[in-house]
């Protein structure tokens, strides 16, 4: 086996992701067994089990020599300021290798082919692994509403402010809102693409992608030049699920891609977090359906809810929300009963008050002195009354 | 023991709910052991354990003779068209008796005193028990938002349309929206009051209360004339939880009364249902907190979700929501891969398509014939292309 991370290993991995789609089970297993260069030799010799893999390789090979293409692509990537990251590298994000354990039942092959990436093409200065170590994925609908955009961008802002990396795709809607929120906080954000890092898709997000490359990372399993074919988004989704400490879905229509990502997250035993929304919004139907059908999916409403899920137990715990804390909430039981018994308007004699509160008169008299000095009740001519009107 | 449901039993129960607040554990246990008339005798003789109960009875007795007051109240109720319903009556709603099993930990006595009602004062023609048999409580914030009002009223409309009774309090906001929704559907709705049925509170909902008395029921554990003291709403809440097949909270602020009702519902093992809302809305904070803290609370978004929880298993099950069903969703795996592999714009040769889809050329050619006849792809001069542009 050639030296992992050496020139031959890198070139072979680059060639393999051009020859076959990432995540392919057979390719990944060959690489694990024999190393990337030997796996490439076998693939090019047509020595593979799967008929469809063999025919795909043959079709690809008819278009060019895989080793040649890889060399050209590596040089082209270098000229772009992009680099290839392979498992032997220090900056390899080890968490994605847990995909090796992921078993998914599906009718469609791209959903079953969920093996770990062979390599990543990366644009941006930050080290990939360290950047993804404390990261949260924020995903959701392209056709997001103003509400979803607001929440996604707010969450991303708050998470990066607390030192977390945001991870998302590159689409309109929730993906873009998450990146924008992180960028606005001068935080770190990572776009995981389903095409080459030289041509992030959609092109109309170009300004955003340029800022992400400056401030965070653009990464892809596909070599520069690769097109954003539809099935690639499904393959890409497994990386978003596996590379992060947890995933938040902000808005999702029924049966959307976000639902598929969430199944991966749950299968990987990572926190699968869902932001609810108005039940009147079609863009929250997928979110509510996730919460109704997956007992392990967690409803989150804020940055602190998210940190509670992904952070080490206790580290980010915040107290549950409370209504406006009032002096009345801190009263002992008898004083509380007296306050409850007082009418909103008008006064009561201490005797009436005792009857209503079901307390003894002397208890009422003793408590009234304290309640009066606390400014909660006052003595009027016709008896005791509330000192302040309550809403 | 006197005849249950007889004149003495009724008069004693009426007197007891004037002497002591409903739900009182000691009073209820005395009635269970000795019957209502004997329990009344013992209470009036001061022969009770609890000091605060004894002092409350003493204070009440100073204001009038309990038996006398009860007789007067029964005559007054009759003149109003109201009736007293006691456990021996055919129309007694048996479900409320499960409160006998409810144990609640609380610092405050009114929260611990959760025994079943001794009787109900009822206005309206429908039989109480049959009306509550298939009923769902809809509760929530007084300071509801337009969203909450819309959802509560919509749920109530849909539930009554399907033959269910709506149950709520009489407050502004969610309570009123639920009643209005039920009334609009010419459905049955029940207002459970924390004051006399002769003076439903708040008075500004008078028109609504009048319509409820016509079309549904106004009920209360307190005798006509009783004032809506604040602590009575907490006592009343246990009846809303216990009288219904399940409870839906539509909007609730943090630490609100709806949260207390939900604890009762969960303790009674009834479906505790929660409508989510925007995480940006203070009126949904209590709802989301319930969903986050109670694993048994169920998120509901629609009438069918609610019926799924309260209905007999299977009877109201509806299929999960689906996105717009497209022909593409019904394709076999190979056709789906071909469709995925086609670019949004431009054409591919069958060979290129085979490579991208990772399928054999002859498979592609066979499927293309079918896809073309289904109108999904078309043959152009330079190859195969998508027949329709997808969003």
């Amino acid at each position: 086996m050639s030296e992992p991370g050496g020139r031959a290993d890198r070139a072979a991995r680059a060639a393999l992701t051009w020859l076959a789609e990432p995540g392919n089970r057979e390719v990944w297993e060959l690489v694990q067994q024999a190393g990337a260069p030997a796996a490439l030799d076998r693939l090019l010799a047509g020595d593979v089990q799967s008929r469809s893999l063999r025919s795909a390789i043959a079709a690809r090979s008819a278009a060019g020599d895989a080793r040649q293409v890889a060399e050209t692509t590596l040089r082209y990537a270098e000229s772009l300021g992009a680099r290839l990251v392979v498992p032997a590298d220090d900056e390899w994000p080890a968490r994605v290798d847990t995909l090796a354990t992921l078993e998914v039942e599906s009718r469609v092959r791209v959903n079953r082919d969920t093996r770990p990436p062979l390599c990543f093409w990366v644009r941006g200065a930050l080290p990939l692994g360290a950047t993804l170590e404390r990261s949260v994925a924020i995903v959701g609908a392209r056709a997001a509403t103003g509400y979803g955009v607001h929440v996604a961008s707010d969450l991303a802002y708050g998470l990066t402010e607390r030192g977390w990396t945001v991870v998302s795709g590159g689409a309109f809607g929730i993906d873009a809102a998450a990146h924008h929120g992180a960028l606005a906080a001068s935080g770190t954000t990572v776009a995981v693409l389903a095409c080459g890092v030289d041509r992030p898709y959609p092109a109309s997000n170009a300004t955003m992608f340029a800022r992400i490359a400056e401030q965070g990372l653009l990464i892809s399993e596909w070599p520069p030049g690769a097109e954003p074919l539809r099935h690639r988004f499904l393959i890409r989704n497994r990386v978003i699920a596996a590379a992060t400490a947890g995933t938040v879905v902000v808005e999702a229509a029924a049966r959307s891609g976000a639902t598929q990502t969430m199944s991966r997250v749950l299968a990987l035993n990572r926190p699968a977090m869902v932001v609810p929304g108005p039940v009147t919004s079609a863009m929250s139907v997928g979110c509510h359906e996730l919460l109704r059908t997956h007992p392990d999916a967690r409803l989150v409403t804020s940055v602190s809810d998210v940190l509670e899920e992904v952070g080490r137990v206790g580290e980010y715990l915040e107290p549950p929300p409370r209504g406006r804390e009032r002096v009345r909430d801190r009263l002992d039981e008898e004083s509380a009963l007296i306050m409850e018994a007082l009418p909103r308007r008008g006064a009561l004699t201490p005797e009436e008050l005792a009857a209503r509160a079901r307390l003894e008169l002397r208890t009422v008299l003793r408590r009234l002195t304290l309640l009066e000095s606390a400014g909660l009740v006052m003595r009027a001519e016709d008896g005791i009354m509330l000192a302040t009107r309550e809403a």
Side-chain angles (χ1 to χ4, degrees), chain A:
Chain A
M1 199 188 281
S2 69
E3 186 204 349
R7 194 180 161 75
D9 179 55
R10 311 179 87 80
R13 287 174 187 270
L16 285 167
T17 50
W18 178 78
L19 265 185
E21 293 294 288
N24 183 290
R25 184 179 290 264
E26 192 177 351
V27 173
W28 183 81
E29 281 167 2
L30 271 179
V31 171
Q32 295 308 104
Q33 287 157 21
L40 178 61
D41 291 342
R42 284 183 59 176
L43 259 64
L44 290 174
D47 182 14
V48 290
Q49 299 278 320
S50 154
R51 226 168 38 161
S52 65
L53 177 59
R54 204 180 315 133
S55 87
I57 292 166
R60 273 305 212 187
S61 296
D65 177 75
R67 293 192 185 86
Q68 191 101 52
V69 170
E71 286 303 330
T72 315
T73 308
L74 279 163
R75 275 197 305 276
Y76 169 56
E78 206 179 336
S79 75
L80 289 171
R83 65 189 183 275
L84 185 71
V85 175
V86 299
D89 291 336
D90 284 344
E91 64 169 311
W92 182 254
R95 216 188 254 131
V96 298
D97 291 331
T98 54
L99 283 168
T101 66
L102 187 66
E103 291 302 331
V104 178
E105 300 277 333
S106 174
R107 198 177 55 83
V108 179
R109 187 180 307 121
V110 290
N111 281 345
R112 291 197 309 267
D113 274 355
T114 54
R115 295 305 95 180
L118 297 176
C119 57
F120 282 110
W121 301 85
V122 178
R123 269 176 73 191
L126 300 170
L128 181 59
T131 303
L132 291 173
E133 181 62 34
R134 279 162 57 94
S135 66
V136 173
I138 299 178
V139 300
R142 275 169 300 170
T145 70
Y147 165 70
V149 165
H150 170 78
V151 172
S153 137
D154 233 41
L155 281 179
Y157 190 100
L159 286 168
T160 54
E161 256 197 336
R162 285 161 182 77
W164 284 73
T165 297
V166 165
V167 174
S168 192
F172 295 121
I174 299 302
D175 288 11
H179 292 306
H180 283 134
L183 292 170
S186 304
T188 305
T189 194
V190 176
V192 185
L193 304 172
C195 57
V197 293
D198 58 326
R199 42 178 291 176
Y201 173 87
S204 42
N205 278 344
T207 314
M208 180 184 87
F209 291 126
R211 288 196 59 200
I212 295 174
E214 283 287 315
Q215 202 171 311
L217 294 169
L218 293 178
I219 72 173
S220 176
E221 296 179 80
W222 288 269
E227 280 181 75
L229 303 180
R230 280 193 69 192
H231 72 274
R232 290 184 168 161
F233 293 94
L234 301 178
I235 298 177
R236 183 274 319 262
N237 286 350
R238 83 194 196 294
V239 169
I240 293 182
T244 52
T247 299
V248 186
V249 177
V250 176
E251 282 191 319
R255 295 185 81 219
S256 57
T259 308
Q260 186 237 26
T261 301
M262 233 31 171
S263 313
R264 300 271 177 288
V265 174
L266 287 161
L268 289 165
N269 274 320
R270 305 278 167 81
M273 297 165 276
V274 181
V275 174
V279 298
T280 46
S281 165
M283 281 300 117
S284 289
V285 170
C287 291
H288 298 147
E289 196 52 30
L290 278 169
L291 288 166
R292 284 178 52 77
T293 51
H294 294 290
D296 291 333
R298 288 283 289 165
L299 184 149
V300 293
T301 67
S302 61
V303 170
S304 64
D305 286 355
V306 173
L307 292 180
E308 192 180 316
E309 300 297 327
V310 297
R312 274 188 296 134
V313 176
E315 189 181 353
Y316 302 101
L317 280 182
E318 289 194 8
R322 297 170 62 90
R324 189 166 57 89
E325 180 150 311
R326 299 171 304 182
V327 180
R328 288 182 58 155
D329 291 331
R330 298 197 302 266
L331 295 179
D332 63 283
E333 179 179 348
E334 286 157 338
S335 302
L337 288 170
I338 291 170
M339 292 300 292
E340 296 286 358
L342 278 167
R344 294 202 181 196
R345 289 160 204 228
L348 289 180
T349 64
E351 289 74 17
E352 289 171 325
L353 201 45
R356 283 201 180 185
R358 294 185 284 156
L359 293 169
E360 294 199 300
L361 181 56
R362 60 178 178 174
T363 308
V364 170
L365 293 171
R366 208 165 51 226
R367 295 294 169 199
L368 281 178
T369 311
L370 295 170
L371 291 170
E372 194 180 11
S373 65
L376 292 169
V377 304
M378 53 192 209
R379 289 175 202 267
E381 266 183 81
D382 50 348
I384 314 296
M385 57 193 299
L386 286 174
T388 49
R389 191 67 49 87
E390 299 230 4

